[in-house]
Amino acid sequence: MGFKMLPIRTHSGAFRFIEAIAWTSIFPYVYFMIETFPEVAEPDISFYAGLLVAVFTFSEFLSAMIWAKISDRIGRKLVLLIGILAGVVSAVAFGFSKSIVGAVVSRAIGGLMNPNVGVVQTCIGELAKDKKQQAKAFPIVSSLRGIGSLIGPALGGLLADPVKHYSSVFRHDSVWEYYPYLLPNLVVAFLSVLGMLPAFLFLRETHPRLARNPDFGLKVGNWITSALGERINRKYFHYSRLQDDSVVEVPSRRRSEVEDGNATALELQPLQSDSSPDGLGDGESLHSDSSPDDLDDGKSLHMPPKPFTLQVVLQILSVSLLAFHKVSADIIIPTFLAFPREPLRDSSPRLSRDVLRFSGGFGLSTQEIGSILLTQAGIAIVAQATLIPFALGRYGALKIFRLVLCTFPVMYLFTPFVVRLAPPLAITAILLDLWVKVLLSSTGYVCSAIL
């Protein structure tokens, strides 16, 4: 990939990583947060919990094309930095929200002001020109976003309502008690600032027309890098001057011609190998296979392909369906875990009449929900390293992708019944349900990228 590719990959991936944490960190506590809003009735809590999650991504969808056009005018780097600053404001505002209107508005602002959906991909595409570079760069960005989606729920669940869970550190009658969900949002804001600093200092503008514009942040970053590099070189590396007999002399005739400016461009070019980078031999021409008819007006050679072929449309539909399954599971499971348990009833034989009546959840705390959601990170990492490559190599991406899309609806049918089991068995069943869904979504996204 080259050294110049590394900063763009890592910083671009950091944008998506932080965005994913900001989006998913509310999952474990959003039910409890809405429960504290006096204007929301108890039967409507689940609806508003889904609304707070959905409004972020819907707002991203509305503003994605607008941010793409803005980045063409002012540059990719500036747009991404604006998005991070807006994310910080959105997270802090959400943490201070005491009404459903304030919570919805803060989440909507975070989505509307988030340019990462299209701009990050554009940065990678502008830097990674050939397919080999793109094949290495795009998966890194996607993987970092996936890791952020797994870490976010655990972070939100473990840090929500700190006075209740960490009373020895966070005192009563403090800001943490009045705003019990401020702490996870402050951590999200801190991570955003932490990701913005290296991007401001070291991320280069990738827009071809704006790449040469003055960049104050990059100048400061280069000064820091050179200062640190000089200190490291003086401390750990030593250089010795070449001996006089080690200097390579340029032939006198060529040297004089170069000094006089009489050498031709061909003489100054490096020698070419037998085969050019394009794979052409010495006697081959770029248009050797083109007939005169193809070269009449150049239209046939430069005709752009149709963007929306049948294969592309089917791919878009299938990926949309997979995203629908993934996000639906992400919203349903935390709410299901937080919803109070159904009171025990008598054991009269009314199973046939009440088998499809579900009115309770697991009644878990934010910490317990965060711990459960954290387990899916380990499953996803292990699966992507072992199980998914094995399955793809044995059965192919298309067959596995079809299996994923067909299995998700079956899991939906299984999920509501796990709460009917005895408590130890019910937790085990919901963990298996969660792990299978994470495995399906991880496999599906990998298959989609291949297809």
Side-chain angles (χ1 to χ4, degrees), residues 48 53 114 125 129 141 152 179 196 221 230 242 251 260 265 379 385 424-425:
Y48 284 108
V53 176
N114 179 26
K129 299 295 185 180
V141 176
Y179 299 104
M196 183 183 69
E230 186 176 350
L242 287 173
D260 296 338
I379 296 297
L425 189 58

Side-chain angles (χ1 to χ4, degrees), residues 32-82:
F32 302 97
M33 184 178 186
I34 296 175
E35 197 175 27
T36 64
F37 297 157
E39 69 271 24
V40 178
E42 185 176 354
D44 299 330
I45 294 177
S46 299
F47 167 76
Y48 284 108
L51 176 65
L52 284 180
V53 176
V55 71
F56 185 89
T57 51
F58 182 69
S59 300
E60 279 185 324
F61 166 75
L62 293 178
S63 62
M65 296 301 296
I66 298 175
W67 280 117
K69 293 183 179 180
I70 294 175
S71 71
D72 287 335
R73 290 182 173 271
I74 66 175
R76 322 295 189 208
K77 179 177 179 177
L78 182 57
V79 164
L80 291 173
L81 294 177
I82 292 173

Side-chain angles (χ1 to χ4, degrees), residues 407-430:
T407 307
F408 253 118
V410 178
M411 298 305 300
Y412 292 145
L413 297 176
F414 170 76
T415 302
F417 290 96
V418 299
V419 75
R420 299 282 183 90
L421 303 174
L425 189 58
I427 294 296
T428 303
I430 196 63

Side-chain angles (χ1 to χ4, degrees), residues 135-422:
K136 294 180 180 180
F138 284 113
I140 290 179
V141 176
S142 300
S143 298
L144 287 174
R145 190 184 190 283
I147 294 173
S149 300
L150 298 174
I151 294 177
L155 184 147
L158 295 175
L159 298 181
D161 202 355
V163 174
K164 178 180 178 181
H165 299 113
Y166 312 105
S167 57
S168 60
V169 179
F170 300 91
R171 298 178 302 172
H172 291 276
D173 298 327
S174 63
V175 66
W176 309 111
E177 185 174 30
Y178 191 67
Y179 299 104
Y181 307 103
L182 176 61
L183 181 60
N185 288 280
L186 288 180
V187 172
V188 169
F190 173 75
L191 292 175
S192 299
V193 174
L194 204 62
M196 183 183 69
L197 288 178
F200 174 72
L201 295 174
F202 305 112
L203 182 63
R204 296 180 179 274
E205 175 59 52
T206 62
H207 193 290
R209 182 171 53 84
L210 305 174
R212 296 185 178 274
N213 288 359
D215 190 332
F216 174 75
L218 193 60
K219 290 181 180 179
V220 176
N222 290 336
W223 177 82
I224 295 174
T225 303
S226 61
L228 291 177
E230 186 176 350
R231 293 185 61 183
I232 293 173
N233 288 336
R234 285 201 304 262
K235 186 173 182 180
Y236 297 103
F237 301 98
H238 304 280
Y239 297 94
S240 59
R241 184 178 181 87
L242 287 173
Q243 300 296 327
D244 293 339
D245 55 356
S246 300
V247 177
V248 179
E249 290 289 342
V250 180
S252 57
R253 185 188 64 84
R254 177 65 58 86
R255 182 172 55 191
S256 61
E257 290 178 353
V258 172
E259 292 174 351
D260 296 338
N262 297 325
T264 64
L266 181 60
E267 290 176 333
L268 296 178
Q269 288 179 355
L271 294 177
Q272 302 293 333
S273 59
D274 292 339
S275 59
S276 67
D278 296 323
L280 300 177
D282 291 339
E284 290 181 287
S285 172
L286 179 64
H287 305 291
S288 58
D289 296 333
S290 302
S291 62
D293 294 337
D294 295 334
L295 303 176
D296 287 340
D297 53 3
K299 293 182 180 180
S300 60
L301 290 178
H302 301 286
M303 183 70 67
K306 294 181 179 180
F308 294 104
T309 62
L310 178 60
Q311 185 68 21
V312 172
V313 172
L314 292 176
Q315 180 72 359
I316 292 174
L317 292 176
S318 61
V319 172
S320 301
L321 185 59
L322 177 62
F324 172 80
H325 289 313
K326 175 67 168 60
V327 176
S328 298
D330 289 342
I331 297 175
I332 290 172
I333 293 296
T335 303
F336 189 39
L337 295 174
F339 202 83
R341 290 191 66 87
E342 186 178 12
L344 294 176
R345 297 175 296 178
D346 57 2
S347 56
S348 57
R350 295 185 300 173
L351 181 62
S352 60
R353 185 171 54 185
D354 295 344
V355 66
L356 297 179
R357 181 179 178 272
F358 304 99
S359 58
F362 283 82
L364 301 180
S365 66
T366 57
Q367 276 191 322
E368 292 170 327
I369 296 173
S371 300
I372 288 177
L373 297 179
L374 181 61
T375 61
Q376 62 183 340
I379 296 297
I381 293 173
V382 173
Q384 289 184 357
T386 57
L387 184 59
I388 295 177
F390 171 78
L392 293 177
R394 186 174 182 86
Y395 301 104
L398 183 58
K399 289 183 179 179
I400 299 297
F401 192 65
R402 289 172 177 171
L403 179 63
V404 166
L405 294 179
C406 294
T407 307
F408 253 118
V410 178
M411 298 305 300
Y412 292 145
L413 297 176
F414 170 76
T415 302
F417 290 96
V418 299
V419 75
R420 299 282 183 90
L421 303 174

Side-chain angles (χ1 to χ4, degrees), residues 118-141:
V119 178
V120 169
Q121 300 296 96
T122 304
C123 286
I124 297 297
E126 287 173 342
L127 187 72
K129 299 295 185 180
D130 57 70
K131 295 294 184 180
K132 290 183 179 180
Q133 288 182 336
Q134 292 176 0
K136 294 180 180 180
F138 284 113
I140 290 179
V141 176

Side-chain angles (χ1 to χ4, degrees), residues 430-445:
I430 196 63
L431 282 173
L432 291 175
D433 177 82
L434 180 64
W435 295 345
V436 170
K437 288 176 181 175
V438 169
L439 180 61
L440 291 174
S441 61
S442 301
T443 307
Y445 283 120

